[in-house]
Amino acid sequence: MPRSSHQGDVVLVGQSYGGMVVSGAADAAPSQIRALVYVDAYVPDSGDSVWSLTTRRFRDLFVAGAKADGLNCAPPPNLDPRCRPHPIGTFLQSINLSGRWREVPRKTFIGAFGWEGSPFLDLYQRLSGEPEWSTFAFDCGHNVARLKPEALTEILLAQV
């Protein structure tokens, strides 16, 4: 892969399911990435899927959300009205990672604990004990960018 003059300048941020996406991108090109920020997000190992990482409550919500067409999970009615259905197949598909994403020098996890039934509580506790991770806890709902924009911006700016 050709080296860019901006090598290591990228900060990838993934919220919720987006943790799967940023992990895959970082695994493909870790030297291009300065930091990974997981915002109330799944942090997978190879072979994991959202389905395998989440709680029974969320698996039940996914199935119920896909009842209309069997393909797309409708967002719960209490979420932002801009939310759109999410393909259930992406929740079921496992990710294939080499582990190179762990070479990214900065890894941050932000847990949002002001909502009932968060599937990220145990993950936050585990990552809080790992020296290569920085962790932050916010007392807000899952939509951190909307509910705690200043605090999130401060953390993101600290990555650059």
Side-chain angles (χ1 to χ4, degrees), residues 46-156:
S46 193
D48 285 339
S49 66
V50 167
W51 189 266
S52 72
L53 292 173
T54 202
T55 61
R56 178 177 187 90
R57 176 179 182 231
F58 277 87
R59 286 190 290 269
D60 290 346
L61 286 172
F62 298 157
V63 170
K67 283 191 179 185
D69 67 6
L71 300 173
N72 298 291
C73 295
N78 63 328
L79 292 185
D80 187 311
R82 296 171 292 183
C83 288
R84 295 294 171 253
H86 191 104
I88 195 167
T90 62
F91 294 150
L92 302 173
Q93 184 177 19
S94 62
I95 191 166
N96 184 16
L97 300 169
S98 70
R100 292 182 62 220
W101 70 273
R102 296 183 186 280
E103 298 169 16
V104 173
R106 294 169 135 181
K107 292 176 276 304
T108 300
F109 186 87
I110 299 167
F113 301 121
W115 61 287
E116 185 180 333
S118 170
F120 306 110
L121 298 174
D122 292 341
L123 177 60
Y124 172 83
Q125 291 297 330
R126 181 173 57 82
L127 295 177
S128 292
E130 295 193 17
E132 66 271 16
W133 284 85
S134 297
T135 54
F136 297 88
F138 290 172
D139 183 19
C140 68
H142 186 54
N143 191 341
V144 175
R146 188 185 65 180
L147 299 170
K148 293 284 187 181
E150 296 87 4
L152 178 59
T153 299
E154 187 176 314
I155 291 169
L156 296 178

Side-chain angles (χ1 to χ4, degrees), residues 3-14:
R3 293 195 179 263
S4 160
S5 62
H6 299 289
Q7 182 172 0
D9 287 345
V10 176
V11 175
L12 292 180
V13 182

